[in-house]
Amino acid sequence: MTSEDFIPARLRRLWGRSETSRLGRPAALDVHRVVTASVEIADRDGLGGVTLPKVAKNLGVTGMSLYRYVGSKDELLELMADAALGVPPTIPTEDWRLGLRGWAFEHRAVLQRRPWLTRVPTSGPPSGPNQIAWMETGLAVLSRTPLDWAHKIGVLSLISGYVTQSVRQYSDLAEGRAEGQGQADAERDYGRALARLVEPERFPETARLFSSTLFEAPPSDTPDATIADADFTLGLDLILDGVAVRIGRPAAQT
């Protein structure tokens, strides 16, 4: 028994380890071509547009033949997610806060280019080579801190989850707005409507919120991306403030 026997077939395919065709013949396709075709469909039609019959049609093969290269639709999604994520850029590691900020913004940029990635179900911890590369980059940023391994992984998981949810929420809100309506106008309309509906006797703090100038603040011509960047930065800074507190606690140190 070789060391490869201990690696599940799914992970061998994810890491590009060669496999012979199940039928013992030279393969007309390979995993890379199947995944590339699938990512192209997702980029064009969204994740819902990726079906095995459509992928097979684009490759000029039958749907059943794809099972020689991917074990299931779930595995295909896992392969697609890792391939579409790509390799991370170089992130400076001298300052952990600046490094994590850069790591978060770079991850966000990938998801903004491919928002369908936020819809891929999470079936387990990071396993693919690109996912591990992003993890390596994040761990390198945290290597100068006294955090132990559990805390480092916790920080990266928290930030990654925040990035994913932020991009997904922004996409959902954009789809829900009226055609031609910007985010500033949508927030203003929301605040004004709720100010008339929320009763101070029942919801005193929420009523104070909607009577404030929060939802009136951005000018109507403020670009959506500017508002989204400000919202994202605020949430990220809150997370990083918490990380800073944790770094200062002896219990978090090795």
Side-chain angles (χ1 to χ4, degrees):
M1 180 176 293
T2 66
S3 60
E4 291 289 315
D5 294 324
F6 293 98
I7 304 175
R10 174 186 64 83
L11 287 179
R12 287 202 298 270
R13 288 189 285 268
L14 191 57
W15 282 78
R17 298 293 180 89
S18 60
E19 279 196 336
T20 58
S21 169
R22 294 181 183 179
L23 299 182
R25 317 193 278 265
L29 290 176
D30 56 33
V31 174
H32 175 72
R33 286 188 60 197
V34 173
V35 173
T36 299
S38 302
V39 169
E40 289 174 354
I41 293 173
D43 286 343
R44 184 182 67 242
D45 303 330
L47 192 62
V50 180
T51 64
L52 292 180
K54 184 180 289 187
V55 174
K57 182 179 180 181
N58 280 19
L59 292 170
V61 298
T62 64
M64 290 301 297
S65 67
L66 294 183
Y67 287 105
R68 300 176 189 171
Y69 311 99
V70 294
S72 65
K73 173 67 177 296
D74 289 341
E75 183 184 331
L76 176 60
L77 294 179
E78 183 179 27
L79 290 162
M80 289 170 57
D82 192 71
L85 181 62
V87 297
T90 301
I91 302 291
T93 61
E94 290 77 13
D95 184 304
W96 70 262
R97 187 173 186 119
L98 290 177
L100 287 182
R101 178 186 287 272
W103 190 83
F105 269 91
E106 292 291 351
H107 187 193
R108 177 175 177 249
V110 174
L111 300 188
Q112 287 176 322
R113 291 194 298 270
R114 286 174 159 157
W116 60 266
L117 278 169
T118 67
R119 311 288 175 173
V120 177
T122 301
S123 57
S127 300
N130 289 332
Q131 292 174 326
I132 296 300
W134 280 85
M135 181 187 292
E136 171 65 23
T137 299
L139 290 174
V141 169
L142 291 169
S143 65
R144 297 172 181 264
T145 72
L147 296 179
D148 61 24
W149 291 116
H151 283 85
K152 289 176 182 178
I153 292 299
V155 168
L156 297 184
S157 297
L158 178 62
I159 294 177
S160 178
Y162 170 70
V163 171
T164 300
Q165 180 58 30
S166 176
V167 174
R168 179 168 182 167
Q169 183 180 57
Y170 179 80
S171 177
D172 289 344
L173 291 174
E175 290 179 5
R177 291 199 295 266
E179 186 174 355
Q181 185 184 44
Q183 185 173 343
D185 290 332
E187 290 184 3
R188 184 173 296 110
D189 292 347
Y190 167 75
R192 290 175 178 177
L194 269 293
R196 292 171 173 80
L197 292 170
V198 174
E199 302 170 353
E201 296 79 11
R202 185 180 181 187
F203 306 108
E205 292 303 315
T206 309
R208 290 180 61 197
L209 165 67
F210 287 114
S211 65
S212 72
T213 60
L214 176 64
F215 298 102
E216 298 286 337
S220 59
D221 59 350
T222 302
D224 289 353
T226 300
I227 299 174
D229 285 348
D231 291 343
F232 179 79
T233 300
L234 173 61
L236 180 60
D237 282 341
L238 290 173
I239 293 174
L240 296 180
D241 287 346
V243 175
V245 172
R246 177 62 69 174
I247 286 177
R249 291 183 182 176
Q253 304 177 14
T254 55

